[in-house]
């Protein structure tokens, strides 16, 4: 099997495990999971996906794990979203907090700041903030039977 294909398969396996463990794929570039440079790999896949004219095979697989794995806004914003959501509604069953996750006070302050600057948010961000504030739409699917779920852009 070619090295690139092994890398993709290893990356998808690490992404699946990470999403199951932490409830999202909004990882920093420095994130490693079980010795695999997951953050670096996801960053490369994000760049390839953004350059492609249609969803790539890895992109579709990652979307099935976390609809917003490749947001058009900064990943720091997405990590704060997940922290706010999980602090308000609890972690998914079996999930644990990730290294460097914002604490509850930080997440609540962030959520209030997003609501205060609503007009500056993109429509997808508004949807996520509204859902987190009221407990709406789940955005991460990490079960083995998850189907591909493309996000609207």
């Amino acid at each position: 099997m070619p090295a690139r294909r092994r890398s993709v398969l290893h990356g998808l396996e690490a992404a699946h495990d990470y999403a199951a463990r932490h409830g999202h794929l909004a990882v920093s570039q420095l994130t490693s999971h079980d010795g695999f440079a997951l953050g670096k790999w996801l960053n490369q896949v994000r760049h390839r996906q953004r350059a492609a004219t249609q969803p790539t095979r890895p992109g579709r697989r990652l979307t099935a794990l976390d609809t917003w794995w490749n947001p058009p806004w900064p990943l720091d914003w997405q990590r704060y979203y997940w922290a706010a959501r999980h602090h308000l509604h609890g972690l998914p069953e079996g999930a644990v907090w990730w290294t460097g996750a914002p604490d509850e006070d930080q997440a609540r302050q962030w959520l209030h700041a997003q609501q205060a600057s609503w007009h500056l948010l993109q429509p997808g961000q508004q949807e996520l903030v509204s859902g987190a504030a009221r407990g709406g739409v789940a955005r991460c699917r990490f079960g083995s039977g998850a189907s591909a779920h493309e996000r609207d852009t």
Side-chain angles (χ1 to χ4, degrees), residues 22 28 30-31 41 54 61 63 75 77 93 129 135 140 153:
H22 301 294
S28 74
L30 300 177
T31 300
W41 181 81
Q54 60 187 13
R61 299 272 307 271
T63 298
L75 283 170
W77 189 97
E93 186 176 335
V129 168
C140 186
T153 52

Side-chain angles (χ1 to χ4, degrees), residues 93-115:
E93 186 176 335
V96 297
W97 289 103
W98 59 96
T99 302
D103 65 28
E104 186 171 357
D105 287 339
Q106 291 170 319
R108 286 184 188 278
Q109 288 172 7
W110 176 87
L111 186 58
H112 290 300
Q114 301 314 299
Q115 292 168 327

Side-chain angles (χ1 to χ4, degrees), residues 74-97:
L75 283 170
D76 283 344
W77 189 97
Q78 195 67 20
R79 278 190 289 282
Y80 263 93
Y81 160 73
W82 281 116
R85 181 174 181 79
H86 293 333
H87 279 299
L88 287 170
H89 306 290
L91 286 165
E93 186 176 335
V96 297
W97 289 103

